[in-house]
Amino acid sequence: MTSLPGADAKGNAYGWVIVAITFLSTGLVLGSRFSMGMFLPYMPEALNASAADVSGAFAISMIGAAAFQPFAGVLFDRLGGRAVLSLGLASAALALCGSAFATDLWQVILFLGVGCSIAYSAVSPVLSTAIVIDWFDKSRGAPLGVATSGTKVAMVVLPPVLAALIAGAGWRTAMFSLGAVILLLIPVVWILVREAPHKTRAKASKKGDATKAMDGVSLRQALQMPAFWLVAVSLFANGQVMNLVFIHLPNYMLSQGYSEALAAFALALLGGVGVFGTVVTGIMSDRIGSWLMLLIMFAARGFSALLVILMPGPVSMLVFVMVFGLLGYGAIGVIGNLAPQLFGKRSIGTILGTVYVFNQVGGAAGVYSGGIAYDLTGDYSASLWLSVATTLVSTIAIAFLPIRRRKVAEATG
């Protein structure tokens, strides 16, 4: 493996320790986020609240994460990865352990809504990627893939473990146990995570590169382009439908008469297939183009949701889970691959960071709409129809993206 300039073989090898820690951190923190649906069937009664109320607390954490993300980035630039990961882990542990003892809704809103906002922004895919990149040069695809796959692996492991804990000891013990495990990772992070030996040189190099002219538009110019808002619509729909599924899939299956074990298995299967699906969509986007890949992904998800509504049953449920696993997780990466063709590369980080907020807002809408639909109607049909509608609108938005034909080296270099 090629080492970074100024980094010796030992320093580069130590990068895999950083990879392992980011894998565990994102897996536990973001894995807990996507496993919250395991607690949803039990929390409303325990808190004397509605499903919509509890879903609202989850939604607050997603909106808060989008708001805190820029501040987490500043903290990373000033204090480094160790401080950011430790803050995120501590916030997640406090949120989960505190909520396990909650007796009223406001306490859950405080712990999960506020605490997880900080956790999800500090231990985010964006900052985890930045931490790993510090330790590897061009040959960083494998370490980045391993580091960011922690969430998907956790989605396979956590649901059945949590289901067993809930069945044997109750949801409060299960939630507290998850928070305690996250807490135990903090001293590991504090001892083992260190600044990459080449970081000073890397920063100097970036300053030098910043003085060079680079093709592309600024954020202000991007905001005036239709393409920015078409991507924003697509990301809102992506966040809406994916978070609806992440949070409400177990409760949806219980409402349809499936067992708790089968509901947990479905969530784990979704995550397991998602590990494979992320790789497949990445490969296919290189072969058939990111624009066409996005059209296929969004159209297939809309069709599978429609199938579950019109033809409910085990077969349509299996198709739904498989489609969302294969074609759900990779949308952010494919959009990121497409973005340089739309905006150039001069301000691509700022532009993607800004437009990603729409994905977070859409996620909050998906979680909350599911809770409202269930409270008002007793099932999730209304929220599924909403997902079909938003997915249709987003598919049309993708179709109208003004793709500029560029040389492959310019688009991906």
Side-chain angles (χ1 to χ4, degrees):
M1 178 175 290
T2 303
S3 63
L4 280 162
D8 57 20
K10 180 179 179 181
N12 193 250
Y14 195 82
W16 285 98
V17 176
I18 306 300
V19 169
I21 293 173
T22 54
F23 173 92
L24 291 172
S25 299
T26 57
L28 287 172
V29 174
L30 300 183
S32 68
R33 168 185 176 179
F34 295 128
S35 299
M36 281 297 170
M38 300 299 301
F39 303 107
L40 188 57
Y42 313 98
M43 293 180 70
E45 182 178 357
L47 300 171
N48 193 28
S50 67
D53 291 333
V54 177
S55 297
F58 296 162
I60 289 172
S61 69
M62 296 176 190
I63 296 175
F68 281 119
Q69 187 69 71
F71 299 101
V74 171
L75 183 63
F76 170 74
D77 288 337
R78 293 186 177 182
L79 300 180
R82 178 170 63 179
V84 172
L85 287 179
S86 297
L87 174 63
L89 291 169
S91 299
L94 178 62
L96 291 168
C97 292
S99 296
F101 289 97
T103 57
D104 201 273
L105 180 64
W106 71 266
Q107 297 166 345
V108 173
I109 292 175
L110 176 63
F111 285 116
L112 288 184
V114 178
C116 285
S117 294
I118 299 173
Y120 298 157
S121 61
V123 188
S124 65
V126 174
L127 292 185
S128 296
T129 297
I131 293 170
V132 173
I133 284 176
D134 269 349
W135 288 86
F136 297 89
D137 192 11
K138 293 181 180 179
S139 301
R140 60 193 182 207
L144 282 174
V146 173
T148 57
S149 67
T151 302
K152 302 174 186 65
V153 174
M155 288 186 66
V156 178
V157 176
L158 282 181
V161 172
L162 291 176
L165 283 173
I166 291 172
W171 72 268
R172 293 183 183 276
T173 299
M175 183 175 285
F176 180 84
S177 299
L178 180 57
V181 171
I182 293 174
L183 186 65
L184 291 175
L185 189 57
I186 296 176
V188 177
V189 168
W190 197 255
I191 293 171
L192 295 181
V193 174
R194 61 182 68 161
E195 186 174 81
H198 65 279
K199 194 165 186 179
T200 301
R201 293 186 180 182
K203 288 181 178 179
S205 176
K206 289 177 183 178
K207 289 180 181 179
D209 291 341
T211 63
K212 299 178 181 179
M214 184 175 286
D215 176 56
V217 300
S218 66
L219 175 60
R220 178 176 296 182
Q221 291 171 321
L223 290 171
Q224 298 172 5
M225 297 169 60
F228 179 92
W229 299 105
L230 292 173
V231 172
V233 169
S234 302
L235 282 172
F236 178 89
N238 181 74
Q240 187 268 330
V241 68
M242 292 305 296
N243 283 276
L244 172 69
V245 174
F246 289 148
I247 298 300
H248 291 284
L249 179 62
N251 205 36
Y252 169 77
M253 293 190 66
L254 291 176
S255 71
Q256 296 295 306
Y258 297 99
S259 67
E260 292 183 9
L262 194 57
F265 173 76
L267 193 61
L269 179 63
L270 181 71
V273 176
V275 177
F276 177 70
T278 303
V279 177
V280 169
T281 52
I283 294 173
M284 291 302 296
S285 66
D286 288 335
R287 294 188 176 183
I288 67 176
S290 300
W291 177 77
L292 182 56
M293 189 69 246
L294 280 176
L295 281 177
I296 294 173
M297 294 171 74
F298 278 77
R301 287 189 292 185
F303 174 78
S304 65
L306 188 63
L307 187 66
V308 165
I309 297 172
L310 299 179
M311 300 177 62
V315 175
S316 63
M317 193 70 248
L318 178 61
V319 170
F320 180 84
V321 171
M322 294 298 291
V323 166
F324 272 82
L326 284 172
L327 302 175
Y329 292 93
I332 301 298
V334 177
I335 289 175
N337 193 32
L338 181 65
Q341 300 179 50
L342 299 170
F343 310 111
K345 293 182 288 185
R346 188 177 74 179
S347 303
I348 195 63
T350 303
I351 293 170
L352 284 178
T354 302
V355 78
Y356 185 69
V357 172
F358 289 88
N359 189 84
Q360 299 289 77
V361 175
V367 173
Y368 195 56
S369 67
I372 291 177
Y374 186 75
D375 281 345
L376 295 180
T377 66
D379 62 34
Y380 288 94
S381 295
S383 56
L384 286 171
W385 276 114
L386 176 62
S387 297
V388 171
T390 57
T391 301
L392 176 61
V393 172
S394 66
T395 304
I396 295 173
I398 293 168
F400 279 94
L401 281 173
I403 304 300
R404 292 186 287 173
R405 302 301 176 185
R406 299 170 179 261
K407 294 179 180 180
V408 174
E410 182 180 352
T412 62

